[in-house]
Amino acid sequence: MTWTRHRPKALSWVLLLAFVLVIGFTIARYVGGEVAVQNDVLGLVLRLAVLVVVVLAYLRTGGSTTASKDGLVVHNGLRATEVPAALVRNIDEDARRGGAVAMLTTGEAVELPGVPATDVRQVRRALKGR
C-alpha cells in the first residue's frame, strides 16, 4: 500500500517566485554594471545558498510511504530509505504532525510521509501481510 504527501500548489508558486527573484536580481546586478562578478564573490555565494535552500525546501515537502510485508520504503522528498519489517517495532500516531511514525527496534523514529493518523491501522496490517 502506498501513501503520498503532495506538495501544496501555493508553496510551489512561492518558491518559484523566490527562485525567479533571486536569479533576476543577480542578472540585473551584474548586467547593470553595478558590481563586477569578481568583486562580489560573497554575494554570489549567498545567492547560490538561497537557491539551494529554496530547492531543498521544495523537495522536502513531498514524499511517500510504501508498506508491505517485507517492510517500509520511506521517501522523504530527498532520498528513499528501506526499513525491513524485522526492524519495525510499532507504528504510532504522530500528534504533532497529524501523521504516523515508525518506531524501530534501534530506538529511532521514522516519519511516514503521506500517512495520515487515521491510516495507522492500515500500515500495521500491510506490514503483517494482510
Side-chain angles (χ1 to χ4, degrees):
M1 201 164 209
T2 300
W3 293 266
T4 304
R5 178 172 59 195
H6 297 282
R7 295 176 178 99
K9 284 187 180 183
L11 176 66
S12 299
W13 285 109
V14 167
L15 293 178
L16 178 64
L17 179 64
F19 193 82
V20 168
L21 285 174
V22 169
I23 295 292
F25 177 74
T26 302
I27 290 171
R29 184 175 166 114
Y30 296 136
V31 170
E34 290 179 34
V35 176
V37 177
Q38 303 88 325
N39 299 336
D40 194 31
V41 174
L42 180 62
L44 188 59
V45 168
L46 288 176
R47 284 195 254 339
L48 287 173
V50 167
L51 291 178
V52 167
V53 168
V54 166
V55 169
L56 290 176
Y58 179 74
L59 291 175
R60 186 69 172 96
T61 59
S64 65
T65 300
T66 302
S68 68
K69 64 180 180 175
D70 299 328
L72 298 168
V73 178
V74 179
H75 192 284
N76 67 1
L78 298 176
R79 66 187 148 138
T81 304
E82 294 185 24
V83 180
L87 286 180
V88 179
R89 186 178 67 207
N90 196 14
I91 305 295
D92 295 327
E93 292 183 20
D94 185 7
R96 291 181 304 146
R97 295 185 176 114
V101 293
M103 302 304 292
L104 306 181
T105 56
T106 60
E108 296 177 64
V110 177
E111 179 191 2
L112 304 178
V115 179
T118 57
D119 287 355
V120 168
R121 186 169 182 239
Q122 290 179 348
V123 175
R124 289 178 186 149
R125 290 175 57 111
L127 284 172
K128 291 180 181 177
R130 295 187 210 161

